[in-house]
Amino acid sequence: MKGRLDIVFVTGRPELQGHISEPLWTEHIYVVLPEGHGLAALDSLCWPEVRHETFFVSSG
């Protein structure tokens, strides 16, 4: 093993010297919040805004 990779799947848009990254697909992720939640009034969210929230993720 030479410690080299042929392909890597990552989130975000990495900037790695000597490598090319291309988006593979885009997909909307929906957040469901109770009406009284502090973030529920926002039209959209970014990852930093939900970083301290508890997530339930489907197995699919």
Side-chain angles (χ1 to χ4, degrees):
M1 187 180 265
K2 296 181 180 180
R4 294 176 39 186
L5 298 171
D6 292 325
I7 189 168
V8 176
F9 294 94
V10 296
T11 58
R13 181 79 179 200
E15 299 293 332
L16 301 170
Q17 185 177 358
H19 296 80
I20 298 171
S21 64
E22 293 291 334
L24 189 58
W25 72 82
T26 59
E27 186 173 332
H28 292 284
I29 299 174
Y30 295 92
V31 177
V32 179
L33 301 166
E35 288 181 9
H37 192 285
L39 298 174
L42 300 176
D43 290 331
S44 64
L45 297 169
C46 296
W47 286 114
E49 295 167 322
V50 297
R51 71 180 181 270
H52 297 298
E53 301 296 327
T54 300
F55 285 82
F56 289 93
V57 181
S58 67
S59 62

